[in-house]
Amino acid sequence: MKVLPFTIPVPHDRTIIVLEEVLPHFYTYLHRHAEVQITWIQKGEGTLLAGNSMHAFKDGEIYLIGANLPHLFKSDPAYFQPDSGLEVQTVTIFFNPSGKLAALFSLPEMKSAGTFVEQSQNGFKVPDGSYTDIAERIANIQQASGAVQLSLFIEILNSLSINTAMEPLASGNYTHSMTDPEGMRIAAVYNYIMQNYNNVLSLNEVAMQAHLTPTAFCRYFKKHTRHTFVHFVNKIRVNEACKMLVNGSPDSIAAIAYSCGFNSITNFNHVFKQLTGVSPRDYVNSYSKTVE
C-alpha cells in the first residue's frame, strides 16, 4: 500500500499550486509530501491526524501542514454512509520552500517569512480570530495568476509569520526522521486504527498490520508516535466522543461511549476525564455555556 510519500502534481509554469476540491469525503490515507500546504476547510468535519497529534476539525477552519509532516484529514463516519448527501469542500495552497521558491526565501526581505516556514514543520492551526482575514487572502490567491498571485502569496506568508496566536499541531518533540518504508508501515497502522477504533482492537491484530510481534510493535509505535498504543487509541475514541457530545447527538452519553469503542461507561468516564480534564457531562455543560 503506497501511502507515503504522496506526490503533488506540479505544473512547470507554477511555483505555487492552488487546488479547489469538492468530494464526498477526504482522502482516506495518511500521507506526506515535500510541499507545505495551507488548507481552508470550507465544508467538512472530522479528525485531523498530524504527526503525533490529532485534532477535531470543522467548517471554517484553516490549517498549515509542514513539509513532510505525515497527516490525514479523516472525515466523520457519516460521510461514508450510502446516499449521505454530504461533501467536503476545500481550497489548498501547496508550495515547496526547497524548490523554485528557495531563491525567494533566501532574500533578506523574506527573512521573517522564511524563518516562519522553517519553523512550521509541525504545522499550525490558524486561530479563529484570524480566520476571516486569512480566508479572504486565500480566496484572492485562488482568483489571481502570474506575478499578482505570487505577490498575494508573499502577503499571506507575512501575515501568518507575524501572527503570535498560531496554534502548533504536532508536539515539539515530534521527529520527521522516518524513511519511506517506515512511513508506509506506520501509515498502515494509523489507517487500520482510524477505520476500526469503534470496534474491539487487540494489540495482536494491530501489530499484524506492521508485521511485528506485539512486543516489537509496542516499542516501534512508541518510538514513532511518542504515544503508547492504548493511549493513542483512547485519544481517537475520546476525540470522536467529544464531537458527538458537542454536536447534539441524540444518543445518551453511555451510547456514545459504546459507539466510540469503549467497553464500559466507567472506563469511558475515567479515560475521558484523564484526557480532557473534565467529565463527559461537565464537557457538554461547559460547551453549552460557550455557545449561549
Side-chain angles (χ1 to χ4, degrees):
M1 180 171 57
K2 294 185 178 180
V3 179
L4 299 177
F6 188 80
T7 303
I8 306 297
V10 182
H12 295 296
D13 60 343
R14 301 284 181 87
T15 53
I16 63 173
I17 305 151
V18 182
L19 179 64
E20 180 179 5
E21 293 186 299
V22 179
L23 301 166
H25 53 75
F26 284 101
Y27 181 70
T28 55
Y29 293 105
L30 186 79
H31 60 286
R32 68 180 178 187
H33 37 72
E35 292 80 8
V36 177
Q37 75 179 66
I38 303 171
T39 296
W40 171 18
I41 300 173
Q42 297 173 311
K43 290 177 63 177
E45 296 185 0
T47 301
L48 167 60
L49 184 63
N52 60 351
S53 301
M54 63 190 72
H55 312 264
F57 68 83
K58 61 182 185 298
D59 300 356
E61 293 185 335
I62 301 172
Y63 293 89
L64 185 148
I65 307 295
N68 291 310
L69 177 66
H71 61 281
L72 163 67
F73 286 95
K74 178 185 177 293
S75 297
D76 281 340
Y79 287 81
F80 297 92
Q81 296 299 317
D83 304 317
S84 71
L86 297 173
E87 64 180 20
V88 299
Q89 184 172 344
T90 62
V91 178
T92 300
I93 298 171
F94 295 98
F95 65 96
N96 187 342
S98 301
K100 296 177 182 178
L101 288 172
L104 176 68
F105 286 117
S106 68
L107 296 174
E109 295 83 356
M110 292 293 293
K111 182 177 180 180
S112 177
T115 300
F116 168 73
V117 171
E118 289 177 1
Q119 295 175 345
S120 68
Q121 284 195 332
N122 286 350
F124 290 103
K125 178 184 183 292
V126 173
D128 294 341
S130 303
Y131 164 74
T132 301
D133 173 59
I134 300 302
E136 183 177 343
R137 291 177 184 275
I138 293 174
N140 291 338
I141 291 172
Q142 181 185 13
Q143 295 163 11
S145 61
V148 174
Q149 186 181 65
L150 185 58
S151 68
L152 292 172
F153 168 70
I154 293 173
E155 288 181 11
I156 197 173
L157 283 186
N158 181 64
S159 180
L160 292 171
S161 69
I162 62 176
N163 191 323
T164 58
M166 295 284 278
E167 305 168 30
L169 295 181
S171 63
N173 64 355
Y174 178 72
T175 175
H176 291 255
S177 57
M178 187 185 300
T179 64
D180 285 343
E182 286 176 332
M184 286 188 280
R185 174 181 280 182
I186 200 67
V189 172
Y190 275 6
N191 293 330
Y192 186 82
I193 294 173
M194 296 292 277
Q195 296 299 324
N196 296 280
Y197 69 88
N198 55 336
N199 300 316
V200 177
L201 280 174
S202 72
L203 177 60
N204 284 339
E205 66 181 291
V206 178
M208 287 177 61
Q209 305 304 311
H211 305 289
L212 294 170
T213 66
T215 301
F217 171 76
C218 288
R219 291 195 300 266
Y220 177 84
F221 193 82
K222 183 68 178 292
K223 174 185 175 182
H224 288 292
T225 69
R226 299 294 188 270
H227 297 295
T228 65
F229 164 67
V230 171
H231 185 257
F232 184 82
V233 173
N234 281 340
K235 285 194 69 175
I236 291 177
R237 289 172 170 167
V238 168
N239 192 60
E240 295 296 326
C242 286
K243 287 186 292 185
M244 295 178 70
L245 290 170
V246 302
N247 285 338
S249 171
D251 294 335
S252 66
I253 289 179
I256 288 174
Y258 291 119
S259 69
C260 290
F262 289 94
N263 57 11
S264 75
I265 187 64
T266 301
N267 179 243
F268 171 67
N269 286 333
H270 173 73
V271 173
F272 191 97
K273 188 168 185 178
Q274 186 180 54
L275 293 179
T276 67
V278 296
S279 69
R281 178 62 61 192
D282 288 342
Y283 183 86
V284 173
N285 292 338
S286 64
Y287 181 81
S288 299
K289 290 178 182 178
T290 62
V291 296
E292 288 178 352

